[in-house]
Amino acid sequence: METVTASSPESTKTSPARNTHGLHVITWGCQMNVYDSARMADVLRPLGYGPAETAEEADMIILNTCHIRERATEKVFSELGRLRKIRDERIEQGHPRTIIAVAGCVAQAEGKEILARAPYVDLVLGPQTYHKLPEMVARAARAGGAVIETDFPTDEKFDALPTEAAPQTAGNLTAFLTVQEGCDKFCSFCVVPYTRGAETSRPVLSILAEAERMVASGVKEITLLGQNVNAYHGDDGSGKSANLAYLAEVLSQIPGLARIRYMTSHPRDMDQSLIDAHHTNSALMPFLHLPVQSGSDNVLKAMNRGHTADEYRNIVRRLRDVRPDLALSSDFIVGHPGETEEDFEATMQLVRDIGFASAYSFKYSPRPGTPAAGQPLQVAEDVKDRRLAQLQALLREQQDAFNEQLVGTTQEVLITGKGRKPGQLSGRSPYLQPVHFDGPEELIGSIVKVAITTRRTNSLGGVIVQETAAAC
Ligand code: 5AD
Ligand code: SF4
């Protein structure tokens, strides 16, 4: 999983139902956690759980955690302390005992430690066991003790989850859909193969059915999710293995589905059919998150990435050959054990060569149990700080330049809702930037052509030039 991680907690709202119990889900980390949080809400809905805006109003709180970077476990314990206080206050007010559940990758990696250090937690469940939540709630109620589920029964999960998953974002016009989970790549620095387990892919027909339901409920843009999404190899319905290009083609036939994205991809799995799909499949957006992590062959080798910097350049060249307007984003790590000044300069050079529209960059932090954590030649903290600042300055320049060159162009924008100012609408460009412009509310949900007139650091402004209700 190489996706963007949010550093602050974000509450996931669930769609209204006849709820008798309030459910508050706090989601940390990547988009797959956002998706999983919605599925946990789905699976609990038949038990009468519906959305509670705050933890103070909730009968059950789920903390869906992320383990990707430093101090993940400490953050969880500090949040649990806060939730415990809220629970105690509710009990004093005469409410029944709030159920506290810890889900996600920290639960998977540190389940036993959580129960030892925070014995007031009721449920601990890893990412592959969300379908067992109702049973776990019942078991906890019966037995009165904590229940832990951190196995990897991956085949069961998607079969057992309910089918009416609610879309999660932007006024129900855009949604995430998990198609693949887990990772076998074992990059030296990464905990994901240990917390999410081995790579598995959902069958095409099950994904198609879920996508059709999403589109029927108004979704116009779907982002296919996977820790290694382009390693997708699901059953095509006839017992053969389908790749991501095939899956995207099948989904692009759904009437009303205007846009498809996928993340996160690994350079090693960027095969020719997927590259070609960026030419032949017009629903695929020209924006690709393709993490490279480093531009130095030595570091890439130490990271066990399985490709060189030139191989990455070559993939990008082939993508741009078939789709000249394709923009890229990436993740970078500075200060991996053994990274020299020369290695770091190679990363800066790769960034200059490629030109990224956006990027996420991190200081290497040792994750317990991963190979890099035990390596000698750890890079000093002040060196990492300096390299990160230098890299981020260059990436910021590139992002500004990318946004600047869109001023004066016309972009298709999916209008996702009202803007902040009266009369203003807000939408997303093909490159995922928020775009603001004036227009009537009736246009929400359609794709319009917008002449881009201004840019800010993270958003664009413009005027509608053509109200095309593309594919809607
Ligand atoms: N230290 C720093 N960054 C990390 N990432 C993953 N593990 C680590 C680590 N130990 C970054 C990678 C990945 C992104 C999601 O988080 O860049 O692509
Ligand atoms: Fe991505 Fe490597 Fe982690 Fe797999 S092991 S999720 S490829 S960073």
Side-chain angles (χ1 to χ4, degrees):
M1 179 202 68
E2 313 187 69
T3 52
V4 192
T5 57
S7 55
S8 58
E10 201 181 277
S11 296
T12 303
K13 281 196 207 163
T14 54
S15 56
R18 348 142 243 115
N19 51 307
T20 48
H21 312 302
L23 171 68
H24 185 70
V25 188
I26 299 166
T27 308
W28 289 344
C30 64
Q31 283 84 348
M32 196 176 286
N33 271 9
V34 176
Y35 176 89
D36 282 343
S37 290
R39 304 310 299 267
M40 286 191 269
D42 286 343
V43 90
L44 288 169
R45 199 167 295 125
L47 272 66
Y49 282 95
E53 287 287 332
T54 63
E56 284 78 2
E57 297 161 44
D59 299 288
M60 176 164 178
I61 303 169
I62 301 177
L63 180 57
N64 194 4
T65 61
C66 170
H67 200 242
I68 199 103
R69 273 183 298 277
E70 233 176 349
R71 290 191 288 276
T73 317
E74 289 318 307
K75 250 178 79 183
V76 169
F77 284 115
S78 127
E79 182 68 359
L80 284 175
R82 184 182 79 87
L83 297 179
R84 180 195 198 174
K85 266 195 215 132
I86 292 173
R87 171 205 270 176
D88 290 348
E89 280 162 20
R90 274 177 57 87
I91 291 174
E92 273 169 32
Q93 291 157 10
H95 293 288
R97 189 170 182 278
T98 310
I99 298 174
I100 299 180
V102 185
C105 292
V106 177
Q108 182 67 43
E110 313 276 357
K112 292 208 176 82
E113 160 119 7
I114 290 171
L115 290 185
R117 277 180 60 186
Y120 50 90
V121 166
D122 301 286
L123 311 177
V124 173
L125 62 164
Q128 302 306 337
T129 58
Y130 296 154
H131 56 294
K132 295 190 176 171
L133 251 177
E135 177 201 325
M136 292 174 73
V137 171
R139 263 162 59 199
R142 264 201 314 274
V147 179
I148 179 164
E149 284 282 358
T150 48
D151 290 345
F152 280 123
T154 34
D155 296 346
E156 280 175 37
K157 175 178 166 183
F158 288 109
D159 294 345
L161 283 169
T163 51
E164 85 281 16
Q168 291 87 24
T169 58
N172 287 357
L173 290 159
T174 67
F176 297 126
L177 202 175
T178 295
V179 303
Q180 178 278 341
E181 220 173 319
C183 180
D184 297 330
K185 299 279 191 301
F186 291 93
C187 297
S188 61
F189 51 82
C190 183
V191 287
V192 167
Y194 311 96
T195 57
R196 288 273 174 174
E199 262 175 20
T200 50
S201 297
R202 295 175 65 189
V204 171
L205 294 180
S206 136
I207 296 165
L208 177 62
E210 187 170 345
E212 282 173 339
R213 278 192 300 276
M214 286 174 163
V215 174
S217 77
V219 167
K220 301 281 165 25
E221 175 178 311
I222 291 181
T223 302
L224 307 176
L225 294 181
Q227 267 92 29
N228 247 237
V229 71
N230 59 343
Y232 175 81
H233 57 276
D235 187 326
D236 72 350
S238 70
K240 286 200 242 98
S241 173
N243 62 17
L244 190 64
Y246 177 89
L247 176 68
E249 184 54 37
V250 169
L251 298 181
S252 70
Q253 308 296 322
I254 300 174
L257 179 59
R259 295 176 158 191
I260 299 173
R261 306 177 185 276
Y262 57 93
M263 73 186 296
T264 290
S265 296
H266 193 292
R268 259 164 72 188
D269 294 311
M270 210 64 220
D271 64 18
Q272 193 58 43
S273 66
L274 190 52
I275 292 176
D276 290 341
H278 280 276
H279 180 63
T280 54
N281 186 341
S282 58
L284 275 184
M285 288 292 94
F287 183 52
L288 182 62
H289 186 59
L290 189 64
V292 64
Q293 312 293 357
S294 167
S296 150
D297 287 347
N298 292 334
V299 175
L300 288 169
K301 191 157 184 235
M303 285 178 165
N304 192 32
R305 292 289 291 175
H307 63 85
T308 63
D310 276 350
E311 278 161 357
Y312 184 87
R313 287 183 178 89
N314 186 34
I315 292 166
V316 172
R317 187 185 49 72
R318 282 152 59 213
L319 277 161
R320 285 176 168 160
D321 279 350
V322 299
R323 189 78 211 234
D325 60 341
L326 185 112
L328 285 142
S329 73
S330 174
D331 294 341
F332 293 93
I333 296 179
V334 299
H336 184 274
E339 185 188 73
T340 62
E341 244 0 85
E342 213 182 339
D343 293 324
F344 173 66
E345 178 46 41
T347 299
M348 296 290 279
Q349 190 54 47
L350 180 126
V351 173
R352 286 181 212 110
D353 292 345
I354 302 284
F356 289 94
S358 64
Y360 304 92
S361 41
F362 314 99
K363 281 193 293 181
Y364 168 73
S365 76
R367 312 304 298 125
T370 57
Q375 277 174 27
L377 301 173
Q378 297 285 334
V379 175
E381 219 42 45
D382 58 333
V383 175
K384 288 190 212 171
D385 285 336
R386 176 182 46 78
R387 290 181 188 165
L388 186 67
Q390 256 176 276
L391 176 62
Q392 288 186 337
L394 176 59
L395 291 168
R396 167 66 58 199
E397 248 175 57
Q398 293 197 339
Q399 181 171 349
D400 286 347
F402 179 75
N403 290 347
E404 182 64 37
Q405 51 94 34
L406 290 179
V407 175
T409 68
T410 298
Q411 298 294 325
E412 293 201 340
V413 176
L414 169 61
I415 307 182
T416 49
K418 288 197 260 182
R420 285 214 193 113
K421 296 185 196 145
Q424 202 185 46
L425 297 175
S426 163
R428 33 166 87 161
S429 76
Y431 307 107
L432 274 183
Q433 297 126 315
V435 188
H436 306 291
F437 45 89
D438 289 338
E441 274 177 43
E442 303 81 77
L443 288 179
I444 293 173
S446 57
I447 293 177
V448 297
K449 291 201 164 143
V450 175
I452 306 300
T453 51
T454 55
R455 64 129 180 131
R456 296 210 174 136
T457 312
N458 295 310
S459 67
L460 303 171
V463 287
I464 296 180
V465 291
Q466 195 189 334
E467 297 178 4
T468 41
C472 299

